[in-house]
Amino acid sequence: MPTQLERRTATRAALLAAARALFTEKGFAATGREEIAERAGVTRGALYHHFESKRDAFAAVADELDAELATRVVAAARRAPSAYEQIRASCRAYVEAFAEPAVMRILLIEAAAALGPEWVRASNESACVTLLTPALRAAATEGHTIPGDVHIAAQLLLGMLNEAGAIIAASENPKAALRRVRPTVDALVERLLRG
């Protein structure tokens, strides 16, 4: 028999999965709290116990998806042999993620409206501080020239990647857009990190 903690954890996981699916399909504004509870197969009371508001549920989904994206980017970078190649691989993995409906809709389209630009900015800053800035510093020690301030360069690089994601998201065919965007991103990263 599951413990209370195991039941609570399972309920929260079901709610997050249901919320992610609905926010991906319908967006934040068009999704109702009751829909989330119904899709998760739990009562409204269970939903209210875990999330005080629909915004709280969306924030939890966005945080979870953002963490998954960071994990994917780090995994791609770890397979590369040098800091330069790690940056290229992580940029590619980041951009490729935006062809996926959940990442596209929740993180790129809905997050700013549902959580505010502060959340997006904090998420971007976290990625720069923990991933891109150290990677660019490592590339500099390998002999690559990073233009200007390394942290500013990281922020601008992430801005370019987010814009690449926006191009993919705005396309009627995200996979085709990705095929057009990816080589340009690769070329721009290569030029940024000329050694």
Side-chain angles (χ1 to χ4, degrees):
M1 175 173 254
T3 66
Q4 183 176 359
L5 177 60
E6 289 169 335
R7 285 191 305 274
R8 199 173 323 143
T9 301
T11 298
R12 182 178 171 81
L15 286 165
L16 286 172
R20 181 188 291 207
L22 286 164
F23 292 140
T24 300
E25 292 166 20
K26 300 173 72 172
F28 175 75
T31 298
R33 289 176 76 182
E34 291 75 17
E35 277 182 285
I36 296 169
E38 184 179 317
R39 175 135 344 157
V42 302
T43 65
R44 283 188 307 221
L47 172 66
Y48 299 151
H49 174 76
H50 287 277
F51 304 107
E52 289 184 17
S53 67
K54 182 172 72 168
R55 185 184 185 281
D56 288 342
F58 185 89
V61 168
D63 286 341
E64 183 180 71
L65 197 53
D66 199 41
E68 290 170 12
L69 179 56
T71 299
R72 183 185 315 179
V73 166
V74 168
R78 283 195 176 133
R79 292 190 292 271
S82 66
Y84 170 70
E85 288 300 326
Q86 288 172 353
I87 293 167
R88 290 184 63 176
S90 62
C91 289
R92 203 172 300 124
Y94 187 82
V95 168
E96 287 171 356
F98 284 109
E100 297 171 15
V103 174
M104 184 190 316
R105 181 85 186 248
I106 293 169
L107 293 182
L108 196 60
I109 297 170
E110 302 283 336
L115 303 175
E118 306 81 25
W119 184 91
V120 174
R121 187 84 182 120
S123 171
N124 286 340
E125 181 60 20
S126 175
C128 284
V129 168
T130 60
L131 301 173
L132 276 176
T133 301
L136 289 174
R137 282 195 182 108
T141 66
E142 291 176 353
H144 296 280
T145 303
I146 310 302
D149 180 279
V150 173
H151 187 68
I152 299 296
Q155 291 173 316
L156 293 173
L157 176 57
L158 186 58
M160 178 195 68
L161 297 174
N162 286 333
E163 185 59 26
I167 292 167
I168 293 165
S171 171
E172 289 184 21
N173 185 339
K175 299 287 185 189
L178 174 62
R179 286 191 296 275
R180 290 182 61 217
V181 166
R182 188 175 26 217
T184 303
V185 167
D186 282 344
L188 288 169
V189 169
E190 186 174 335
R191 288 183 184 169
L192 171 69
L193 300 177
R194 271 192 275 224

